[in-house]
Amino acid sequence: MPDALKMPEPELIDHAGLDSAVYLRIYLLGLKIFIPILFLTWAVLVPVNWTNDWLEVLKANYSDIDKLSISNIPQGSHRFYAHVVMEYAVTFWTCYALKREYETVAKMRLHFLQSEKRRPDQFSVLVKNVPPDADESVSEAVEHFFLVNHPDHYLTHQVVVNANKLSKLVKEKKSKQNWLVYYENKYERNQSKRPMMKTGFLGLFGEKVDAIEYHITEIERLSNEIAEEKENVKNNPKAIMPAAFVSFKTRWGAAVCAQTQQARNPTLWLTEWAPEPRDVYWQNLAIPYVSLTVRRLLMSVAFFFLTFFFIIPVAFVQSLANIEGIEKRASFLKPLIEVKPIKAFIQGFLPGIALKIFLILLPTILMIMSKFEGLLSISRLERRSASRYYLFNFFNVFLASVVTGTVLEQLDTFLKQSLNKLPEIIGVAIPMKATFFITYIMVDGWSGTAGEILRLKPLIIYHLKNFFLVKTEKDREEAMDPGSIGFNTGEPQIQLYFLIGLIYAVVTPLLTPFILVFFALAYVVYRHQIINVYNQEYESSAAFWPDVHGRIVAALIISQLLLMGLLGTKEAKSSTPFLLALPILTLGFHSYCKGRFEPAFVRYPLQEAMMKDTLERAREPNLNLKGYLENAYVPPIFKEAESDSEDDDDDEISDKKWAKDNVLVATKRQSRKNTPVPSKMSNGSSPNLHEIQEKDKP
């Protein structure tokens, strides 16, 4: 851990990419915001709250935590002015920290784009909704259009094809090849008996045949089908989609095309920056453009029902964990259930386990919904999934907990009250839930971060894969791949802690230290994991930061509204109106940041593009750019299909050449699936697999 903290940020960016470095800055931002807030609120609000005796006067059940909160201030007290002033201080400091961080990340992004190595996406745009032409194919239409409208900069293009069927065939062939290797190894160990198998469902039914001969025959059949499908994809007009990746001679030409309207009709010849090849989600390229709006509407409706009525399937599952429910549905189990230890386990653990299982599946469900929408890059899929995960957490973890029960259970209360009363209803409940959220932060935040070091879940999953799925060394290597950091699940969790921290900063200052411990611990742990464990799946150059900024601003506004609702119930009529200006000022701040910094994350300045082009021409005047770009956006499934028909040695050479030509970020990893070598600042990194093998040789 100490060694991980020693690596300077420029080296971290060189090692793991800008996305990883900026992701860690979210934790640092939490520390920058909440450390001053901690000292300020503890110096002012803790004495103000503690030196009252309102809870004793009420003779209510309370804890020392409640005595340190706003609940201990009498109704209509002038002391509420201290909380109003502190809310202004929290807002101004948070906005200042957000502005500084937005400015820093924007500069880091522009510097990264300017200094990074050549990549195909710097010269390429994705063109969608190419209009049909009876006299020209899609490829001819694209070439003609760009030769006419971008004559000095157009270089080459690659039409988008529907290769989903080909992908399924290649995947099936790989599976058959793995099974063939498994059975051949099995036969080599015992040559007295040929391995046999059944051809039916899961190998449990059907005709019994020689396993090796069966898989050789199946592989030959699939090879023929793959060759036929490849020809069909290339030559069948129905397999060619009205879209293409278009590459230009210069970054300047690509920037002009990606950021301008191409045709008189604004719905045709739509252009946007092409994702880098690793970031493309190829399956969604086959989705017709006209269906995207309908898909997004359907997923919005589906997410609405998932968010507000998720308790229905959970309640059904938990009803099975209810003693009476089980005895009613399975009366023969009644004698067993009545045993005290079993009864205690069912009542104490089963409902919670059922809820956890459903929530574990939630990120997968949200990612499937994002894929159905038709987003074309993995980074966008993760950002959309993250935004929905955050909304889900806001309604079903924060609000449901604050209002003492789920939104569904409180529906009757909400229906009887005016919408104007909603902040008051929630505001009253907020101080009473401080203890719950302190416990939640320790259990979910602290323990979750400690669990990240242990990595027990990936260990269990690896052994399950190793037992049921691994048949070859290649399978084992894939099973050991730690994957990426998981922005779609990690970032929404961080944002939930920003929300809780900003709301309780003024209401219950005692909660702030627990938030700080989470941010500090998580920063250290994830810095280590990014350097030594996770692999970089793609590079979006920190394109997610506007979403991070927007969600923290939203949390700030929510905290202001809920404090107004809370003071409204405390009869603080003289102090509450002073809070009305805060949401307006915060929205104005967000609008300023959106106009000042967000363009750096959406558009690429022509000045920067021209500078980079000029520098590259001076350094490499004879660069064959067309040879570099013409195959950059060929679907990977074509490369896999071709590599299956070649020798293993040729395949390995081709893969190494492809990886070299399309390197994304210079990294010290010897392989994307190995532990990185030690950094300049640290000798603590583990040796890679090759070093271990060399050391073990006699």
Side-chain angles (χ1 to χ4, degrees):
M1 292 294 178
D3 289 333
L5 292 173
K6 292 177 183 178
M7 181 182 282
E9 191 170 61
E11 188 181 343
L12 178 63
I13 294 172
D14 181 57
H15 175 81
L18 184 65
D19 280 347
S20 299
V22 172
Y23 182 83
L24 290 173
R25 291 190 71 92
I26 305 176
Y27 295 109
L28 282 180
L29 178 61
L31 294 173
K32 291 175 185 176
I33 289 175
F34 287 108
I35 287 177
I37 288 176
L38 173 69
F39 287 108
L40 195 61
T41 55
W42 275 57
V44 177
L45 293 184
V46 168
V48 168
N49 295 337
W50 181 262
T51 53
N52 281 280
D53 57 357
W54 179 245
L55 291 174
E56 294 179 7
V57 172
L58 290 177
K59 296 181 180 179
N61 292 324
Y62 64 91
S63 64
D64 288 339
I65 294 176
D66 296 323
K67 203 171 180 184
L68 288 169
S69 76
I70 200 172
S71 300
N72 201 32
I73 306 292
Q75 300 286 94
S77 172
H78 291 294
R79 292 195 177 199
F80 286 122
Y81 280 105
H83 298 83
V84 172
V85 171
M86 283 298 102
E87 186 65 25
Y88 269 90
V90 167
T91 298
F92 288 154
W93 172 250
T94 303
C95 289
Y96 173 75
L98 283 172
K99 177 186 174 296
R100 288 288 301 273
E101 197 67 21
Y102 214 152
E103 188 175 11
T104 301
V105 174
K107 289 178 180 177
M108 290 172 65
R109 174 180 166 87
L110 291 175
H111 180 266
F112 179 78
L113 292 173
Q114 189 66 17
S115 60
E116 69 179 336
K117 292 184 177 180
R118 186 188 309 114
R119 295 191 332 193
D121 55 295
Q122 297 170 353
F123 300 88
S124 304
V125 300
L126 175 60
V127 183
K128 299 180 291 185
N129 217 22
V130 177
D133 192 319
D135 300 322
E136 291 182 319
S137 65
V138 173
S139 181
E140 291 169 341
V142 170
E143 184 176 21
H144 179 256
F145 181 86
F146 283 94
L147 281 173
V148 170
N149 295 287
H150 298 268
D152 298 327
H153 300 284
Y154 168 75
L155 183 62
T156 184
H157 72 276
Q158 174 69 47
V159 293
V160 172
V161 295
N162 184 352
N164 289 347
K165 183 179 178 182
L166 178 63
S167 177
K168 291 178 182 177
L169 290 172
V170 172
K171 186 177 180 181
E172 185 180 355
K173 182 181 176 182
K174 282 186 174 182
S175 175
K176 299 292 183 186
Q177 287 173 328
N178 285 349
W179 277 110
L180 177 61
V181 172
Y182 169 76
Y183 284 118
E184 285 177 340
N185 292 339
K186 186 177 180 181
Y187 180 60
E188 285 180 7
R189 290 192 295 268
N190 182 14
Q191 297 188 1
S192 61
K193 183 180 179 182
R194 297 278 292 184
M196 306 295 288
M197 63 168 288
K198 292 183 179 180
T199 58
F201 179 70
L202 294 177
L204 301 175
F205 307 98
E207 181 184 358
K208 201 170 186 180
V209 296
D210 184 294
I212 295 176
E213 292 181 359
Y214 171 78
H215 282 94
I216 290 174
T217 305
E218 285 293 296
I219 290 169
E220 290 178 358
R221 175 184 66 81
L222 288 169
S223 296
N224 294 331
E225 290 185 15
I226 287 170
E228 292 176 6
E229 183 60 23
K230 278 179 64 179
E231 291 301 315
N232 178 59
V233 169
K234 291 178 180 178
N235 302 319
N236 186 356
K238 293 183 179 179
I240 298 175
M241 306 305 295
F245 290 98
V246 180
S247 298
F248 294 83
K249 298 175 183 177
T250 62
R251 296 173 181 82
W252 190 91
V256 170
C257 181
Q259 297 166 181
T260 55
Q261 182 175 319
Q262 302 301 309
R264 183 178 301 170
N265 185 341
T267 63
L268 300 176
W269 298 101
L270 302 174
T271 57
E272 61 182 57
W273 279 108
E276 55 115 347
R278 280 191 319 184
D279 193 19
V280 177
Y281 189 69
W282 297 95
Q283 292 90 322
N284 279 0
L285 289 174
I287 298 174
Y289 177 78
V290 293
S291 68
L292 294 179
T293 303
V294 177
R295 284 170 171 262
R296 286 168 188 167
L297 177 62
L298 288 174
M299 287 303 98
S300 297
V301 174
F303 178 68
F304 173 84
F305 285 106
L306 177 67
T307 302
F308 287 96
F309 300 106
F310 92 105
I311 195 62
I312 295 174
V314 174
F316 173 75
V317 172
Q318 288 184 329
S319 70
L320 300 178
N322 181 273
I323 298 295
E324 292 77 12
I326 295 175
E327 290 179 351
K328 184 178 179 181
R329 290 173 176 80
S331 56
F332 62 92
L333 292 175
K334 187 173 182 179
L336 181 64
I337 292 172
E338 290 300 326
V339 177
K340 285 189 177 181
I342 297 176
K343 187 174 183 179
F345 174 79
I346 292 174
Q347 289 179 325
F349 291 98
L350 225 53
I353 292 172
L355 179 61
K356 282 289 184 184
I357 290 172
F358 183 78
L359 292 178
I360 285 171
L361 295 176
L362 180 64
T364 304
I365 294 170
L366 295 178
M367 182 57 75
I368 291 171
M369 293 171 67
S370 299
K371 290 177 179 177
F372 183 82
E373 281 191 47
L375 299 173
L376 300 178
S377 66
I378 299 170
S379 57
R380 287 185 185 177
L381 287 171
E382 291 199 343
R383 293 205 298 273
R384 179 63 60 85
S385 182
S387 65
R388 285 180 171 158
Y389 199 177
Y390 173 73
L391 288 173
F392 188 93
N393 279 339
F394 173 69
F395 285 106
N396 292 313
V397 175
F398 177 74
L399 282 187
S401 301
V402 163
V403 190
T404 319
T406 65
V407 174
L408 191 62
E409 290 172 346
Q410 296 295 323
L411 192 58
D412 184 56
T413 304
F414 290 133
L415 289 176
K416 292 178 180 177
Q417 297 286 347
S418 168
L419 286 176
N420 297 332
K421 297 288 184 181
L422 189 58
E424 292 184 13
I425 297 171
I426 300 172
V428 170
I430 283 176
M432 297 187 294
K433 289 296 178 180
T435 305
F436 167 79
F437 281 113
I438 289 173
T439 307
Y440 179 84
I441 293 165
M442 289 192 291
V443 172
D444 185 71
W446 296 6
S447 301
T449 307
E452 174 63 32
I453 307 172
L454 186 63
R455 290 185 61 78
L456 184 61
K457 178 182 171 184
L459 181 68
I460 294 171
I461 291 174
Y462 162 72
H463 282 291
L464 290 173
K465 286 182 177 179
N466 191 38
F467 185 79
F468 292 105
L469 302 176
V470 170
K471 305 170 198 67
T472 65
E473 286 302 317
K474 186 177 180 182
D475 289 343
R476 182 169 285 106
E477 185 181 0
E478 291 177 355
M480 291 177 68
D481 183 14
S484 60
I485 197 167
F487 176 83
N488 59 312
T489 55
E491 194 268 347
Q493 182 200 35
I494 304 171
Q495 293 293 349
L496 181 63
Y497 293 125
F498 271 108
L499 176 69
I500 294 171
L502 289 172
I503 287 174
Y504 280 95
V506 174
V507 174
T508 308
L510 186 65
L511 186 138
T512 306
F514 294 88
I515 293 282
L516 279 174
V517 170
F518 164 75
F519 280 119
L521 181 62
Y523 173 74
V524 174
V525 168
Y526 280 100
R527 203 174 207 273
H528 173 272
Q529 302 298 81
I530 283 172
I531 292 172
N532 294 312
V533 177
Y534 289 119
N535 294 314
Q536 184 188 17
E537 188 176 359
Y538 59 82
E539 179 60 68
S540 70
S541 306
F544 57 81
W545 191 259
D547 296 336
V548 173
H549 174 88
R551 284 195 268 274
I552 297 176
V553 170
L556 196 56
I557 293 174
I558 291 168
S559 70
Q560 295 159 1
L561 294 175
L562 293 183
L563 182 62
M564 279 193 279
L566 176 58
L567 293 182
T569 64
K570 288 282 191 176
E571 299 179 5
K573 295 179 181 178
S574 60
S575 55
T576 305
F578 288 100
L579 289 172
L580 293 175
L582 273 182
I584 299 171
L585 292 173
T586 308
L587 286 172
F589 163 77
H590 179 60
S591 178
Y592 163 76
C593 289
K594 190 177 180 67
R596 173 64 180 84
F597 302 115
E598 190 171 315
F601 296 84
V602 179
R603 295 188 288 273
Y604 187 41
L606 296 180
Q607 182 185 22
E608 298 285 330
M610 182 61 76
M611 288 171 56
K612 197 166 179 65
D613 287 333
T614 304
L615 186 62
E616 187 172 76
R617 280 195 296 268
R619 289 177 175 175
E620 301 178 72
N622 300 319
L623 174 66
N624 179 16
L625 193 59
K626 186 171 183 178
Y628 173 71
L629 293 172
E630 61 184 355
N631 292 321
Y633 284 97
V634 173
I637 198 64
F638 280 92
K639 301 181 182 70
E640 292 180 28
E642 290 170 4
S643 66
D644 283 341
S645 61
E646 298 174 357
D647 294 332
D648 291 341
D649 293 341
D650 294 338
D651 184 30
E652 186 177 351
I653 292 169
S654 175
D655 285 347
K656 287 180 179 178
K657 182 179 183 301
W658 177 253
K660 181 180 178 182
D661 290 344
N662 293 279
V663 66
L664 180 63
V665 174
T667 173
K668 294 178 173 56
R669 300 179 193 272
Q670 294 195 0
S671 164
R672 288 189 68 237
K673 293 187 179 180
N674 284 348
T675 303
V677 301
S679 77
K680 297 173 185 175
M681 300 298 297
S682 165
N683 293 317
S685 298
S686 303
N688 60 41
L689 187 61
H690 176 72
E691 291 172 345
I692 294 171
Q693 291 172 341
E694 290 294 323
K695 186 178 179 180
D696 290 342
K697 287 182 179 180

